[in-house]
Amino acid sequence: MRLRVTMIALLLLPGAAGSAQAQRLHDPGGNRIESFHWSNQSRPDGEPIRHCSRDRIWCAELHFPRVGERRPRELRVVARATNRDPQQRRWRYTLPDRPGDGFSIWSEIVRDWWGGALIGIETWQTTGARPGFFSNQRRLLLLHIPSVAGGEPYVVLETPLSGYIEQPMCPRPTPPPGAESVPLRVLPDEEAAAIAACEDRFEYSTLLTLLPSSQPADQPPDLIVATVAQTSPGRRLRTPPGTRRDPIPWSEGDVVRDPACTFTRTYYFDAATRRYRPDVPLPACRDYLEP
């Protein structure tokens, strides 16, 4: 088991991540993870964007109230009728009320052997503006969709997907009017370089996929998460606001991986709590995950 987990983790590390995701794992136990992408063919303007599996058996939409409406934000899921499940099935899940959060549908779906699925909702929150302190945090809310119509979807995992922080560390040139949120890549080279030289950057990213099983099980399949954390310029730690250092010219070679927050975890489903639990507790990694 440990060797198998290690080999999958190697596939998920940078440089192989794209190929690992493209394989769309399908295990002998009948579980599989595959694309769940935006699909708006024949959707009228203004209608919710729909995500569907490649065979279009599974689809999901996010529904938001219009101005003045008193109804909750919802994820609506539909599974088309098949030979195995001759009736169309529908589910609804009310999104959490978190001011400032954005929502989207995760671009993967895990389909289990008995007809259920794991569908994810991505939430994100942005703090600050560029240039200056900037943070973008994304989290995954993974829902179990039961195989039986009318069963209630429920959260089985909530975990960080990514964190990105830019922390100003020294005085920088005042940007021209209207340029506060302009990406560095479109600023003049000299100005972009001056801004980058005065920033500490913290980046945290994850990949989540299926841990193959050799036989069917009566609960959601095991998962594996590989995480990479890195800082630049060089090894950095978050410091209190107002801390200052001299400018450091930006260089690609200055990106350093943080071994304490670069890890792989296997998640097993705990039937008693109806939640996924990691095989080893996760490090806090607050430098990357707290605005």
Side-chain angles (χ1 to χ4, degrees):
M1 169 65 76
R2 181 64 58 185
L3 177 60
R4 182 178 65 179
V5 171
T6 302
M7 293 303 295
I8 295 174
L10 289 173
L11 285 174
L12 291 173
L13 291 175
S19 60
Q21 291 292 86
Q23 288 176 12
R24 305 303 168 206
L25 292 175
H26 186 178
D27 70 20
N31 307 300
R32 65 184 186 267
I33 183 169
E34 60 183 61
S35 298
F36 200 55
H37 284 317
W38 169 54
S39 174
N40 69 337
Q41 292 93 337
S42 304
R43 303 292 292 167
D45 290 343
E47 289 294 311
I49 293 176
R50 173 176 290 183
H51 286 240
C52 291
S53 57
R54 181 172 296 181
D55 59 12
R56 301 186 68 80
I57 289 178
W58 285 90
C59 290
E61 297 175 341
L62 287 176
H63 286 253
F64 299 97
R66 294 184 172 87
V67 177
E69 285 186 330
R70 290 182 171 271
R71 60 182 178 88
R73 299 175 290 188
E74 286 185 327
L75 175 74
R76 299 180 185 178
V77 179
V78 59
R80 186 165 52 84
T82 63
N83 291 335
R84 176 177 174 176
D85 299 291
Q87 293 186 340
Q88 186 179 78
R89 296 166 290 159
R90 294 179 180 272
W91 302 264
R92 292 189 177 192
Y93 176 79
T94 300
L95 301 181
D97 186 12
R98 297 176 178 174
D101 273 358
F103 294 91
S104 62
I105 297 174
W106 189 42
S107 61
E108 311 288 333
I109 181 173
V110 178
R111 298 165 68 170
D112 57 47
W113 75 275
W114 71 91
L118 299 176
I119 292 177
I121 300 169
E122 291 187 25
T123 69
W124 71 89
Q125 188 166 26
T126 299
T127 304
R130 294 166 168 156
F133 179 84
F134 176 81
S135 169
N136 181 267
Q137 303 293 325
R138 293 170 56 242
R139 297 184 64 84
L140 176 66
L141 198 66
L142 194 61
L143 302 176
H144 178 246
I145 311 298
S147 57
V148 180
E152 292 293 328
Y154 58 91
V155 175
V156 291
L157 177 65
E158 184 171 3
T159 187
L161 275 179
S162 68
Y164 181 74
I165 292 171
E166 295 172 352
Q167 182 175 10
M169 298 301 296
C170 54
R172 293 171 296 186
T174 302
E180 288 80 3
S181 59
V182 174
L184 292 182
R185 64 179 180 275
V186 302
L187 293 175
D189 290 346
E190 185 175 332
E191 186 176 340
I195 291 174
C198 282
E199 288 179 341
D200 284 354
R201 292 169 291 277
F202 303 81
E203 186 173 3
Y204 180 101
S205 58
T206 64
L207 281 172
L208 182 151
T209 192
L210 180 70
L211 181 63
S213 173
S214 60
Q215 57 186 7
D218 58 357
Q219 61 186 27
D222 299 334
L223 305 172
I224 185 169
V225 175
T227 297
V228 174
Q230 54 192 25
T231 64
S232 64
R235 183 70 184 100
R236 297 282 121 187
L237 296 173
R238 293 282 295 279
T239 56
T243 304
R244 292 291 180 256
R245 63 162 171 79
D246 293 333
I248 301 175
W250 183 86
S251 168
E252 289 186 3
D254 288 340
V255 179
V256 175
R257 183 171 295 182
D258 179 356
C261 290
T262 297
F263 56 85
T264 302
R265 294 290 187 272
T266 301
Y267 280 79
Y268 300 101
F269 186 74
D270 179 0
T273 61
R274 302 204 306 176
R275 286 268 184 165
Y276 277 99
R277 303 295 181 191
D279 55 346
V280 178
L282 275 60
C285 300
R286 294 186 179 91
D287 281 0
Y288 306 88
L289 302 176
E290 292 187 359

